[in-house]
Amino acid sequence: MTARAAVILAAGQGTRMKSPIPKVLHKVGGRSHLDRMIDTVEAAGCERVVVVVGNHSPAVRALVEKRLGPAAVAVQDQPLGTAHAVLAAREALADFDGDVLITYADAPLLTAGDLEPLFEMRAQGVDLAMLTFEPADPLLYGRVIKGADGHVIRIVEARDATPEEKAVRCCNAGMMCADRGRLFGWLSRVGNANAKGEYYLTDIVGIAVAEEALVRGHSAPEAAVMGCDTPAQLAQAEAIFQQRQRHHFLAEGVTMLAPDTVHFSWDTRVAPGAVIEQFVVFGTGVTVEEGAQIRAFSHLEGAVVRAGALVGPYARLRPGADIGRDAHIGNFVEVKNVKVGDGAKANHLSYLGDGSVGAKANIGAGTIFCNYDGFFKYETHVGEGAFIGSNTALVAPVSVGAGGMTGSGSVITQDVPGDALALERGGQTNRPGWAAEFRARKAAEKAAKAK
């Protein structure tokens, strides 16, 4: 098979996004556009990936270097158009022999399956393969003009199109694929004799046709190639992504009582047989095993929910939460970086942060793992079968042994041995009549102020 490489264009200013965050670092499904595009071209078999960045976005460059290394960065030092941007990658691919795919970083719904027809056309002898689409509103898109046999003759920008050309429904999506040598040869001949004085990638179509090269297009769904230039388009892409995820999990055997209210991330994993109730949000890094139930209005991020566990309603699982088989995490319970053992229960109004809870332990309402002293985090460990009384504050570092118990309202600052009861309470003093005297005094003060 012919070797594959990709050039991802990520140097645009993204001014229409009106955000301090670079456009390609905005997220759909909790994953940045650029990360998603790198994932996509790698899944499409591209063994080399070069990302063209601008000097105005050091955060974009940092992402590329972290994922792919410094050699994958090509810098477009001036914003002189899309052809100029692709030419910035020529040196990075100087030793590459094979097909080069050109794509944009801000197409978060594009998949490897959408790109495969380009490589297939190349294998069948097409010199320049490109993706096209038929938008619901083609007003601003370049029209793809084809010859009688279906091959592409030219691309006409909307502002330059005649009424007949504007009637063409087939539009340019921007993704192209060609042999490296021919591609950069065509790009080097692109001029900038246009109103903006820029070098347009679309001009290589006319250059290739003039050489009698075969240019063909493959029609992709509009959603697959949609860009995200504005907050409105970003929201539209997110909505499409969420619908895809919902359909996927329903088809896999996940029960959702109101699927349109459930929000997934790009890497959410939910096993068949799990039940997801209304208004659940999955942040990144969540796995839910078979038979688990996530009840309404819960938020999960960076967590694992084991088989048969029950979470919520109104629960929050933060990164590092690992909820054991058949365990219960109830309403208004927050868990962060705690491994909860099989069958353990924390049914209401508790914070479990940093540590562990043993199998079949019971955490009473209002329990707090006091894990932070303002400078450092410390761990709390509750042993198997332990019983933590309501409103217990466990001041870390501290541990309660297997079968140990704490009395309600205790502040535990020392380890509790297994099977022991720990009580920490001040002595109770009752003052007969004090409450009645207090109310009478306050009523008199109020009446005096009213005069």
Side-chain angles (χ1 to χ4, degrees), residues 145-154:
I145 309 303
K146 298 180 181 180
D149 64 350
H151 67 276
V152 177
I153 299 174
R154 65 185 184 278

Side-chain angles (χ1 to χ4, degrees), residues 414-437:
Q414 301 178 40
D415 289 350
V416 179
D419 294 320
L421 169 64
L423 290 171
E424 192 283 327
R425 297 172 181 158
Q428 180 172 318
T429 300
N430 295 332
R431 297 183 180 181
W434 185 93
E437 292 172 4

